[in-house]
Amino acid sequence: MMSADKSNGDNKTAPEMRAEQTRSHPQLAIDSEENEELVTVSEPVTHTEGMKGKFTMYRVAYDPGSSQMTGSSKPIFTWATSGNRRYSDFAWLFERLHKERPGAIVPPLPEKQQTSRFNESFIEERRFQLEKFLNRVLCNPELKDTECLLVFLSGGDTDFKKAKKDGFGRVHSDSAARDLSTGDADFNDGVEMNTSGGEQNENSIVDKGRESVSHKKAGLKRWLQEKKTAYSGGLVRLDDDAIFEEVAHFVEALEAGLKRVEAQASSINKQNKDISTSLLEFGLGCDAISHVENEVDGGTVDSHTNGVGETFHIIGKAADEAAAISGQHYQREVQSFVEPLRDHLKTIQAVKVALTKRNNRRITYSTNLNSVDSKKASLHKFKITPGQENKALGAESSLSKAEQAVLASKQNYDEVAARVLRQVDLFRKESAVAMCATMKEFAASQADYYSKLNESWSALLPKVDLIDANRLSDRSFAQAAAALSSSVHVNMPQDPPPPTPNGEITAINGGVRYRDP
């Protein structure tokens, strides 16, 4: 079992956990007083699954809070739930949220990692990011009531696995035509769920397989038609196009600005790390000089007999303290500035995905309108061409279906477009709070950092001013040499020179340093 360095909140109440999360992630503070629900991800445990290798399982617990809210703030459950989920389950939820609520801004999910996946620090960081993901989903009114979220948080491990295995949320055969006409179809799906509770007979399986193949062929044909519409410039101009063009311009400009800020923030943060390392090396160099001077003058580690040694000693200690301050500042900026900026950029990508969903519906609607025009022309041709009257009946039926598809796709477009605009408004509100909090924290960290540095170096100046730079010990190299000359008879050097005595002795300590032969 993998234990985490950070507290996973098992001993904390829901309000305490909510307060901790909103401090770390200001975007969760939006209406936090009205939304007392909380999801915690804790107790990561690494398992081995035969030949498939290892995976990590997390305990996901839902707390409804006071359960007294109404409307969009009403808890999804009135009771607490818990269950075990692995990363692939979170990825499934992420995918299903996009399918159930096209146009909603789905929060970013932690990225996959191929190496060091079972490192304790990585598991803890992923646990924290998964918890943030779920609480963001819970705070989003467009995602809170999705069926896939209810299934994910319902708690039962067996029921959840069965829902995934049975193809929860897959396209049903009776809705395939509707999905193709509105742009909701998933060409990888199309297998009807077995909801009868009994076993399927062989003919039923064959029929459904044929339906699946037929649906995939129809989906591929529709996809080619929509690509042709998009590339040929045959998109219909809609009333809200100007609004969405303004939204797209806002998102692109915001992304460009944030990318620039994030790049420079990373550069500044790297410089802070380099400063911390350089100050540490600088302090070590000062300390080395201090020890050299101290050794020459015969002083102790804590007692310096000359000014220069004491000066380097004091400045070296101050440099060590400044290095520690810079190191702490580096870590603080990574967590409270650089990472939040990257998180903002990931959220902007989620906004762009939502805008893409709306654009896909616009393409589908335009394709259906073009199809109606084409079928009308075919019907008219059949009616005026002698001998083609029989084909007119089939053309009329095909035209009727195409007109129904236009109505369905327009309704779906209006639904998705309205959802996107609501989500963009919510994004602007949350983004404003989050980015203001991030920049405020950056300013506060800078002020705190330079205040501590200024305090550290300012406290050093009075101590340095009191040091007498001319103060040296009574020891002298020249006097030591003269004393040796008067008491020791030194013969002229011989060739070869005398052997070096065992244990080299310095001249200052009363001995003679011999050169190596």
Side-chain angles (χ1 to χ4, degrees):
M1 178 174 180
M2 303 293 296
S3 59
D5 294 335
K6 296 180 182 178
S7 173
N8 57 26
D10 289 345
N11 298 322
K12 296 182 180 180
T13 63
E16 290 174 339
M17 287 294 295
R18 169 64 63 187
E20 179 179 328
Q21 289 186 356
T22 54
R23 283 195 300 270
S24 302
H25 306 285
Q27 59 270 34
L28 294 179
I30 305 297
D31 300 328
S32 61
E33 294 181 357
E34 299 178 4
N35 187 5
E36 297 184 2
E37 296 172 279
L38 180 70
V39 179
T40 58
V41 179
S42 60
E43 301 178 10
V45 180
T46 300
H47 300 269
T48 301
E49 190 178 24
M51 299 295 294
K52 295 182 179 180
K54 294 182 178 180
F55 67 92
T56 302
M57 191 74 76
Y58 303 86
R59 178 178 177 269
V60 177
Y62 168 79
D63 186 346
S66 64
S67 304
Q68 296 178 353
M69 301 299 172
T70 58
S72 61
S73 299
K74 184 179 179 180
I76 56 177
F77 300 115
T78 57
W79 60 89
T81 66
S82 65
N84 296 315
R85 302 288 184 265
R86 55 190 295 183
Y87 179 82
S88 59
D89 298 332
F90 287 87
W92 171 88
L93 175 63
F94 179 79
E95 179 185 355
R96 289 308 314 168
L97 287 170
H98 280 290
K99 291 183 178 180
E100 283 196 48
R101 291 291 190 273
I105 300 177
V106 180
L109 189 69
E111 298 177 355
K112 291 184 177 180
Q113 182 166 316
Q114 300 299 327
T115 60
S116 303
R117 290 186 296 122
F118 305 105
N119 180 276
E120 187 170 350
S121 60
F122 171 78
I123 290 178
E124 167 55 22
E125 179 62 24
R126 171 170 281 186
R127 180 207 66 78
F128 186 68
Q129 295 296 331
L130 292 175
E131 184 175 88
K132 181 178 68 173
F133 164 74
L134 287 179
N135 281 284
R136 282 181 172 180
V137 171
L138 203 61
C139 289
N140 191 326
E142 299 288 345
L143 302 175
K144 182 177 179 179
D145 62 344
T146 52
E147 188 176 357
C148 59
L149 181 62
L150 297 178
V151 171
F152 186 87
L153 295 177
S154 61
D157 298 351
T158 303
D159 293 340
F160 176 70
K161 290 180 180 179
K162 186 176 185 302
K164 287 181 62 179
K165 183 178 180 180
D166 290 346
F168 169 82
R170 290 181 179 270
V171 181
H172 294 258
S173 60
D174 59 353
S175 62
R178 177 185 62 80
D179 289 342
L180 286 173
S181 64
T182 61
D184 281 339
D186 185 343
F187 303 146
N188 294 321
D189 292 333
V191 181
E192 183 180 5
M193 293 174 60
N194 178 20
T195 58
S196 62
E199 295 184 358
Q200 297 176 315
N201 58 41
E202 197 171 307
N203 292 332
S204 175
I205 295 176
V206 172
D207 291 341
K208 289 174 181 177
R210 290 173 178 171
E211 289 177 2
S212 175
V213 173
S214 176
H215 174 57
K216 289 182 179 180
K217 287 182 177 179
L220 181 59
K221 182 179 179 181
R222 168 62 60 176
W223 181 79
L224 292 173
Q225 291 174 342
E226 292 182 355
K227 287 295 181 182
K228 181 180 179 181
T229 300
Y231 291 132
S232 64
L235 294 177
V236 177
R237 185 71 182 178
L238 300 175
D239 295 337
D240 56 3
D241 279 352
I243 297 176
F244 278 99
E245 288 171 1
E246 183 179 354
V247 170
H249 177 73
F250 160 72
V251 172
E252 291 292 341
L254 181 61
E255 182 182 34
L258 277 178
K259 281 184 176 180
R260 187 174 182 179
V261 172
E262 189 275 331
Q264 297 306 314
S266 299
S267 177
I268 292 172
N269 203 45
K270 182 179 182 300
Q271 292 176 14
N272 291 333
K273 184 178 181 181
D274 292 340
I275 288 174
S276 176
T277 304
S278 297
L279 282 170
L280 181 61
E281 293 295 332
F282 176 77
L284 291 174
C286 290
D287 192 56
I289 295 176
S290 172
H291 280 291
V292 169
E293 292 288 341
N294 194 43
E295 180 183 358
V296 169
D297 282 352
T300 62
V301 176
D302 299 322
S303 176
H304 296 271
T305 56
N306 65 56
V308 65
E310 186 174 1
T311 301
F312 273 97
H313 175 69
I314 294 176
I315 293 180
K317 290 184 64 176
D320 291 343
E321 183 178 346
I325 294 173
S326 298
Q328 294 171 359
H329 178 63
Y330 162 75
Q331 294 294 340
R332 179 178 177 180
E333 280 203 338
V334 168
Q335 297 176 1
S336 63
F337 187 54
V338 177
E339 289 183 356
L341 285 176
R342 292 171 180 170
D343 188 71
H344 295 328
L345 286 171
K346 290 179 181 178
T347 304
I348 289 177
Q349 289 298 318
V351 176
K352 295 173 74 173
V353 170
L355 291 172
T356 301
K357 299 292 185 181
R358 175 261 173 187
N359 191 56
N360 290 342
R361 268 64 186 176
R362 180 191 176 200
I363 293 175
T364 300
Y365 176 58
S366 300
T367 302
N368 288 337
L369 281 178
N370 294 337
S371 177
V372 167
D373 293 340
S374 175
K375 293 181 184 302
K376 283 182 177 180
S378 297
L379 177 61
H380 177 71
K381 179 180 179 181
F382 290 145
K383 285 184 177 182
I384 64 175
T385 303
Q388 299 292 325
E389 293 82 358
N390 294 333
K391 293 183 178 181
L393 293 176
E396 288 180 352
S397 176
S398 179
L399 175 61
S400 177
K401 291 180 180 180
E403 290 174 340
Q404 292 177 4
V406 167
L407 295 176
S409 60
K410 183 59 168 65
Q411 181 180 1
N412 183 255
Y413 169 83
D414 292 339
E415 177 185 344
V416 172
R419 180 179 295 126
V420 171
L421 292 178
R422 290 195 301 269
Q423 287 283 275
V424 170
D425 288 340
L426 181 62
F427 163 75
R428 290 190 62 196
K429 179 182 177 182
E430 292 184 343
S431 179
V433 173
M435 287 191 293
C436 283
T438 299
M439 299 310 295
K440 182 179 179 181
E441 169 60 24
F442 172 73
S445 68
Q446 295 298 310
D448 183 57
Y449 170 57
Y450 288 107
S451 175
K452 288 181 178 178
L453 280 183
N454 182 64
E455 181 181 350
S456 177
W457 290 113
S458 296
L460 172 69
L461 292 177
K463 299 179 182 178
V464 176
D465 289 340
L466 294 176
I467 297 175
D468 182 5
N470 295 318
R471 175 169 57 87
L472 296 172
S473 68
D474 295 334
R475 294 177 178 271
S476 168
F477 287 105
Q479 292 175 0
L484 289 174
S485 299
S486 61
S487 60
V488 178
H489 177 71
V490 180
N491 295 323
M492 294 298 292
Q494 300 176 3
D495 188 19
T500 302
N502 295 330
E504 193 175 71
I505 305 174
T506 63
I508 290 299
N509 291 330
V512 178
R513 182 185 298 273
Y514 287 87
R515 301 180 65 181
D516 293 333

